[in-house]
Amino acid sequence: MGKSLNGKELGKGLSQRKDGLYQGRFVNRFGKKQTVYAKTLNEVRQKLRNEQYEDEKALNVVTKDVTLDEWYEIWMDTCKKNCRASTKETYAGHYRRIQKALGWKNSHP
């Protein structure tokens, strides 16, 4: 349980930084910590709820009729949306090498 600067309990995953900014943290479904920031406690609570909801509803279920191209787009949008641009470019470069040969195939044989 985090505390505000004046010692008040804020709740699980919530805290206040020394500069007065509030932060909320949670672990997403991939096991990575995510942090949201806001100027007020109510704002950070709302942002935290929204991020947790987005994490919960972003199910990365792949059906048997999805092509490898479609799966790659889902993977980049769902799993790798918070990566650096250079990391995404590296993934895209590697995928472009195999896309012509395999992109049209179904991801599950």
Side-chain angles (χ1 to χ4, degrees):
M1 292 272 241
K3 292 185 178 185
S4 67
L5 292 177
N6 59 6
K8 180 182 173 189
E9 288 287 334
L10 300 176
K12 184 177 179 184
L14 299 172
S15 61
Q16 189 176 20
R17 300 184 339 175
K18 290 184 180 183
D19 63 0
L21 198 63
Y22 289 94
Q23 71 180 16
R25 290 183 171 179
F26 74 100
V27 178
N28 67 16
R29 69 185 187 280
F30 302 110
K32 292 190 175 185
K33 290 182 184 175
Q34 284 189 255
T35 307
V36 294
Y37 301 96
K39 291 181 179 180
T40 67
L41 186 56
N42 286 336
E43 284 179 41
V44 81
R45 283 181 177 153
Q46 182 64 41
K47 284 184 178 182
L48 189 61
R49 276 194 303 269
N50 289 343
E51 286 292 322
Q52 287 172 330
Y53 174 75
E54 288 292 322
D55 182 56
E56 247 180 68
K57 79 170 190 160
L59 300 175
N60 54 347
V61 177
V62 178
T63 60
K64 291 187 180 207
D65 58 343
V66 173
T67 65
L68 194 58
D69 284 337
E70 293 167 338
W71 178 86
Y72 173 76
E73 291 300 322
I74 292 169
W75 180 68
M76 289 298 287
D77 292 340
T78 306
C79 303
K80 298 299 178 183
K81 70 179 179 180
N82 296 324
C83 286
R84 292 181 181 169
S86 60
T87 302
K88 289 182 181 181
E89 267 307 307
T90 302
Y91 291 149
H94 288 300
Y95 186 67
R96 279 193 296 269
R97 288 186 305 135
I98 64 165
Q99 185 175 15
K100 193 175 231 179
L102 301 174
W104 58 273
K105 291 188 176 186
N106 284 344
S107 59
H108 294 290

